[in-house]
Amino acid sequence: MHIQARTKEHQESKTGKLQEWTAPGKQQQLYKRTLAIVILSQLFGGAGLAAGVTVGALLAQDMLGTERYAGIPAALITLGSALASFLMGRLTQRFGRRSGLAAGFLAGGIGAIGIITAAVAGSIPLLYFALFIYGAGTATNLQARYAGTDLAKPKQRATAISIAMVSTTFGAVAGPNLIGVMGNYAESIGVPRLAGPFILAAGAFTIAGLIILVLLRPDPFLVASRIAEAQAAANPSQNGKTQAGNRQGIKLGAAIMILTQIIMVAIMTMTPIHMTHHGHGLNEVGIVIGIHVGAMYLPSLFTGMLIDRIGRIKMACASGVVLLASGLLAAFGPADSMLSLITALALLGLGWNLGLISGTALIVDSTSQATRAKTQGTVDVLIALAGASGGVLSGMIVAQSSYATLALAGGLLSLLLIPVMFWSSRSSK
């Protein structure tokens, strides 16, 4: 009885706090506070993300002795992120953003430790398993973009997404440029040089998870759910319409993000290997990938405001044009030119950014609070699977043909965004 009384008292206290945050004027206050916490966590999360992007393929190539399967690390990371996205979506829907994001970041930290252990032991099976677990950290970096939208107004959503993403830039850009430093440190403690960046990833993901676990209170998703419940009670006639959501918007948002993810992952995965074949060193690889990752996230604040003002569909079309330019430059630009490679990979990152924020905003616009987190998790599963396909196929295409063929195919694939937008326009009419 005593335990039941304490449990009831705890629940009443929790309910009282949630009711306090749902009061008029408090929503925007909590919205800003949530963004601040997400920004802080993403500063570290971005650094953890960059390790797999930069040296994952090179580490696998070194351990396997062939580049044919160099796309497997990216595939395993994205498959791991697919499972993590699914689980985080369900966990968030039931327990809130705090539980989902903290679990994802901490799992990513454990995966990074496993990769270091595999490199030291020379164990390929452990490497593959650890890369799969590491994918949870990369999934959480993306899932965090939804946290800012929970309490945002409709015309703030793309901007909220962009703020969460732009904060990833600092860690994500710093990570690749610390390859040399972390490599030297790794060698000094008896760890293979290419595993060095994963030492940084292990610490960064763990810190990001602890920030979310300790600071993200009250939970923005739970507060938003309370607000939605109150609005539904006040307007019962709107309940059916709200619960149904907009299936077309969900399909369209998912299609945009899936296409941009396939193109970005495929070209990005093979760029480090393409560069080493043409005499570029690890520091130069780090510079190119660092600029690429920066272009994925840094323009977010500007592009998010554009998407809120100009519209989701128009900016998704712009994404296709930018990705096409990136593919053509990567395919036909001189392989020994750093300027050409930097420009191509920067455009690749920018095109992905436009597609991801446009698609994410469409998903949030088209879902109700009752199913939003689960839908977001499911869509991110599809995005991750698309990335895994791009990662596997990229290595095979380059092994059988060339990097130029891969880049050209990616650029042409971006043209599929045009009929998708046309279909959306016709369906709307």
Side-chain angles (χ1 to χ4, degrees), residues 267-268 271 288-289 292 295 326 341-349 403:
I267 297 175
M268 176 197 66
T271 297
V288 170
I289 297 300
H292 163 67
S326 169
L341 289 166
I342 286 172
T343 305
L345 269 291
L347 289 172
L348 183 68
Y403 176 80

Side-chain angles (χ1 to χ4, degrees), residues 67-132:
E67 70 179 43
R68 179 177 291 272
Y69 305 108
I72 289 180
L76 288 170
I77 290 171
T78 47
L79 284 172
S81 71
L83 177 60
S85 296
F86 178 83
L87 294 176
M88 279 192 290
R90 269 63 187 169
L91 194 62
T92 299
Q93 191 69 56
R94 187 169 182 180
F95 299 108
R97 292 284 176 203
R98 178 172 158 267
S99 298
L101 295 180
F105 274 134
L106 293 174
I110 293 170
I113 293 171
I115 293 168
I116 298 163
T117 306
V120 172
S123 172
I124 298 299
L126 178 58
L127 175 68
Y128 285 168
F129 178 72
L131 284 165
F132 182 80

